[in-house]
Amino acid sequence: MDIFEGQSGRIYIDWDEGLDWNVGKGQAQDVRIVYSDDNGLTWSKPIILDGGNLPGRRPIQIVAIELRDGSLLAVWRFASD
C-alpha cells in the first residue's frame, strides 16, 4: 500500500487486491486507487484497474504519481496464474 500527496494537495492511496505479500497467501485480483480532496475526511470510490482482464494475468505492485497537470499516472506489473 502507498499513501502520497500530489502537488494539487489531493491524497492518494493505492494497493494490490487479493494477494497478501506479507503472509504469502491469496491470489492477485486487481490494483486499486482511492483519493481524498479534503485531507482524508472523505474518500472516492475505488478506481479498479484490472489490467485489461487478460486471461491468466492479474496486475500487482502498483505505483502511481500525480503529474503536473493534475492527471494520475499508474503502472504495475502482472502476476501469472
Side-chain angles (χ1 to χ4, degrees):
M1 179 186 306
D2 293 319
I3 301 173
F4 66 96
E5 182 177 358
Q7 290 181 335
S8 67
R10 179 176 274 180
I11 299 170
Y12 297 91
I13 301 175
D14 60 47
W15 71 94
D16 301 355
E17 188 71 23
L19 179 63
D20 188 337
W21 290 93
N22 294 316
V23 296
K25 293 186 179 182
Q27 187 170 358
Q29 179 178 326
D30 53 49
V31 291
R32 299 176 183 212
I33 301 170
V34 292
Y35 61 87
S36 174
D37 289 320
D38 58 10
N39 296 313
L41 294 175
T42 60
W43 292 90
S44 69
K45 291 183 179 181
I47 301 166
I48 300 171
L49 304 169
D50 67 8
N53 204 22
L54 299 172
R57 301 184 64 124
R58 296 285 180 231
I60 58 172
Q61 296 180 327
I62 186 172
V63 176
I65 187 170
E66 185 183 82
L67 302 176
R68 290 182 184 183
D69 67 359
S71 61
L72 189 65
L73 172 67
V75 296
W76 57 83
R77 71 180 190 90
F78 285 104
S80 297
D81 289 344

